[in-house]
Amino acid sequence: MPNSDKISYLVFNLLSGRYALLAARAERVLAAAETTPLPNAPEAVRGVINLGGEILPVFDLKRRFNLPAREMRLSDQFIIARSAGRRVALLTDGNADFVEAASGEVTELDGVVKGTKYLKGVLNLEGALVLIHDLDAFLSGEESARLDGALEAGRGGTP
């Protein structure tokens, strides 16, 4: 009988660390491509891409987590995902892979480190710790409004 308390995650690399998000939020993984800068967007937004006629903001997770920046590489990937209210591309260092974990293998991050905004837990995966990203908390309300304004201005509307 299958274990019903298994949770699926999409695990990916950022520099030397491993991160994850709920697999239900991920639509697909693509090779990364150049982005178009988006004036007046929040710092964590690298730019935008056109995916099948839809303009998606590209979130640079390294910027959000204060990790060192680097030029894009051929091995980088975009994870196309859905946050609360918007479809986005997440720039990662590649090696995205779906894994399943028992709910008991996940530790809520507030139990380890108080006040973490962008992470919701830690997954112990094969002896290595994987930080679980909270996609809904990636942008603050103010940043989300700024992004909406920048996207509207980019479409030729008024912010």
Side-chain angles (χ1 to χ4, degrees), residues 12-159:
F12 55 90
N13 290 345
L14 283 181
L15 297 176
S16 61
R18 303 276 287 157
Y19 292 78
L21 67 136
L22 289 172
R25 294 298 186 97
E27 293 179 11
R28 60 183 164 161
V29 178
L30 307 169
E34 281 302 312
T35 60
T36 301
L38 183 64
N40 302 316
E43 178 66 26
V45 176
R46 182 181 182 102
V48 293
I49 59 170
N50 182 333
L51 185 64
E54 183 180 3
I55 303 302
L56 300 182
V58 176
F59 291 168
D60 189 333
L61 300 176
K62 287 189 205 84
R63 288 181 185 174
R64 176 52 78 203
F65 295 137
N66 294 316
L67 297 172
R70 65 164 176 73
E71 293 296 317
M72 270 204 278
R73 297 179 182 159
L74 290 174
S75 60
D76 290 350
Q77 295 175 320
F78 288 143
I79 296 172
I80 307 303
R82 187 164 295 282
S83 70
R86 84 171 75 236
R87 196 168 172 224
V88 300
L90 306 174
L91 177 61
T92 72
D93 292 348
N95 292 328
D97 194 23
F98 289 95
V99 300
E100 282 194 341
S103 58
E105 294 177 284
V106 176
T107 303
E108 292 294 321
L109 207 52
D110 262 356
V112 179
V113 179
K114 299 286 184 207
T116 54
K117 290 192 249 182
Y118 314 117
L119 301 171
K120 67 186 326 181
V122 178
L123 170 65
N124 186 353
L125 184 64
E126 300 171 358
L129 297 181
V130 176
L131 300 176
I132 302 170
H133 177 62
D134 183 358
L135 192 54
D136 291 339
F138 188 79
L139 295 178
S140 68
E142 179 183 320
E143 288 173 319
S144 187
R146 235 174 96 201
L147 176 57
D148 289 341
L151 287 167
E152 185 62 31
R155 288 184 193 104
T158 55

